[in-house]
Amino acid sequence: MFVFVMDQYGRPGHPTRRMDWVRKQLKRKRGKIVGGGISGKPAVLVLRERSFDRSRTVKRRFYVTLDTGFRNVGYAVTELLEDGTLRVLLKGTLTARTPDIRGLMDERAMYRNSRRYHRRANVKKKGQTAKHRPPRYESRGKQNSVTLKHSIETHRNLYARLARLAPLPVYQVTQGFESVSFDLRALAHGKPRTGSGYQVSPVGKAAGEKTHAFVVRRDGGCVVCGRKEHLHDHHLRKRSKAGSNRAGNRVTLCEDCHADVHAGLIDLPITDGAQWRDASTVNTVCGKLRTGVSI
Ligand SMILES: [Zn+2]
Ligand SMILES: [Zn+2]
């Protein structure tokens, strides 16, 4: 068990395992314990009449590392020991709300729209003309999606929260995260046979090209049997289930395979283009953390 230590000015010192020393400080009323117990937070010993002398501090190395994720973000605070091993001071998993953000935003928009609708209706009743206000997305410009923004903030806030939870001398702390890079092209549409296959975006068609023509060109024939005649577009997420008509939701199947898929005889490994949203968000979060986080 570890106890984090702070001086009277709130400056963090090195964590200690010397419980006899901690108990002695408490007994002589030289400090008090903040956190710990049933609060779920690690214990911090705040020393009343001490101020740490930086020039005399022993050099120790601490690491605050995040395991990047969409729903679950792991974290660990460790210390690098002289023999090269890591000692874990604190670790856990944060359950983020990132997957729910889109639904929450839609719900909010629904209430907002309803409110505006009634406000306009009320204005009209009084015989005035309702002022037109353009919808927000028209003036918003190019911004990150709310899901992505939330995910980036979750990771950045976690660094800040850990700094408060586990007070450590800032200049001896290194922040890090597990940098991942999912090959979304390979995940969604199989690994291209040649490197140049990556040049054909699974969702981006050439200017003027019909979506059907693009989907056929991208898949190079039926994705199940490889036939190149009597090709159909199959929607991964059904149109009746609000599936989009864009290329990302369409896949090429021959007449026979298409019938088999709908009859439930063939199970397509890909069911919905949106299933890669998680991986895609984590990719971008890693990129943003790489460029944006400083110690
Ligand atoms: Zn179909
Ligand atoms: Zn086929």
Side-chain angles (χ1 to χ4, degrees):
M1 170 142 144
F2 279 89
V3 175
F4 293 93
V5 183
M6 282 207 283
D7 69 4
Q8 59 173 337
Y9 304 109
R11 286 189 301 225
H14 291 154
T16 182
R17 274 207 294 191
R18 287 169 49 209
M19 295 311 287
D20 51 337
W21 176 79
V22 172
R23 256 180 243 116
K24 204 162 97 184
Q25 304 302 320
L26 291 172
K27 206 173 167 189
R28 297 189 179 166
K29 303 249 190 304
R30 284 189 196 148
K32 60 172 179 174
I33 290 279
V34 183
I38 53 163
S39 72
K41 290 176 186 168
V44 179
L45 174 70
V46 184
L47 296 167
R48 267 184 233 283
E49 278 150 24
R50 281 277 296 277
S51 64
F52 294 138
D53 183 1
R54 290 279 173 246
S55 61
R56 285 173 52 214
T57 324
V58 195
K59 190 83 176 146
R60 286 164 73 178
R61 284 249 61 100
F62 300 102
Y63 292 92
V64 176
T65 27
L66 302 189
D67 180 5
T68 43
F70 192 66
R71 167 66 88 179
N72 296 308
V73 186
Y75 58 85
V77 179
T78 49
E79 181 182 0
L80 183 64
L81 302 179
E82 267 173 24
D83 62 0
T85 55
L86 283 175
R87 179 156 65 194
V88 179
L89 303 176
L90 187 70
K91 65 172 180 179
T93 312
L94 175 90
T95 307
R97 288 209 305 172
T98 315
D100 314 328
I101 291 300
R102 197 178 169 160
L104 292 168
M105 293 294 286
D106 285 349
E107 196 183 336
R108 193 178 76 166
M110 189 185 77
Y111 286 119
R112 190 169 57 205
N113 288 343
S114 146
R115 223 162 38 230
R116 285 184 183 165
Y117 170 81
H118 289 291
R119 199 188 299 144
R120 289 202 192 100
N122 285 340
V123 168
K124 267 187 196 149
K125 247 187 262 165
K126 288 181 198 156
Q128 296 159 321
T129 37
K131 200 168 79 183
H132 171 71
R133 199 158 104 221
R136 269 184 211 169
Y137 59 78
E138 281 183 9
S139 56
R140 217 180 254 155
K142 202 173 164 62
Q143 281 188 20
N144 289 334
S145 78
V146 279
T147 301
L148 180 56
K149 267 194 217 165
H150 186 270
S151 194
I152 294 165
E153 267 159 34
T154 302
H155 287 81
R156 287 198 177 147
N157 289 345
L158 189 52
Y159 278 125
R161 208 193 280 184
L162 285 172
R164 283 197 303 273
L165 208 58
L168 293 167
V170 179
Y171 56 95
Q172 296 186 26
V173 174
T174 310
Q175 288 180 339
F177 61 94
E178 196 205 0
S179 186
V180 293
S181 175
F182 294 111
D183 186 345
L184 298 181
R185 176 70 166 82
L187 281 176
H189 298 281
K191 203 167 174 62
R193 254 164 270 135
T194 57
S196 62
Y198 283 99
Q199 312 257 347
V200 188
S201 159
V203 288
K205 54 186 170 123
E209 189 175 23
K210 285 265 190 289
T211 309
H212 174 74
F214 167 73
V215 173
V216 170
R217 176 166 65 85
R218 179 195 66 196
D219 296 340
C222 173
V223 292
V224 176
C225 67
R227 249 167 66 182
K228 298 197 191 316
E229 308 92 45
H230 305 291
L231 296 177
H232 291 187
D233 274 3
H234 170 65
H235 289 88
L236 293 170
R237 182 192 271 259
K238 282 184 190 172
R239 292 288 281 152
S240 60
K241 295 245 167 82
S244 109
N245 206 19
R246 293 181 179 204
N249 190 41
R250 284 155 74 160
V251 76
T252 313
L253 290 172
C254 72
E255 211 175 347
D256 298 340
C257 292
H258 195 186
D260 287 352
V261 164
H262 280 271
L265 299 172
I266 296 175
D267 214 7
L268 280 183
I270 34 177
T271 50
D272 183 356
Q275 69 183 307
W276 309 114
R277 181 191 60 160
D278 309 13
S280 151
T281 304
V282 172
N283 272 358
T284 320
V285 167
C286 283
K288 297 278 178 186
L289 289 178
R290 227 174 275 135
T291 53
V293 169
S294 56
I295 299 163

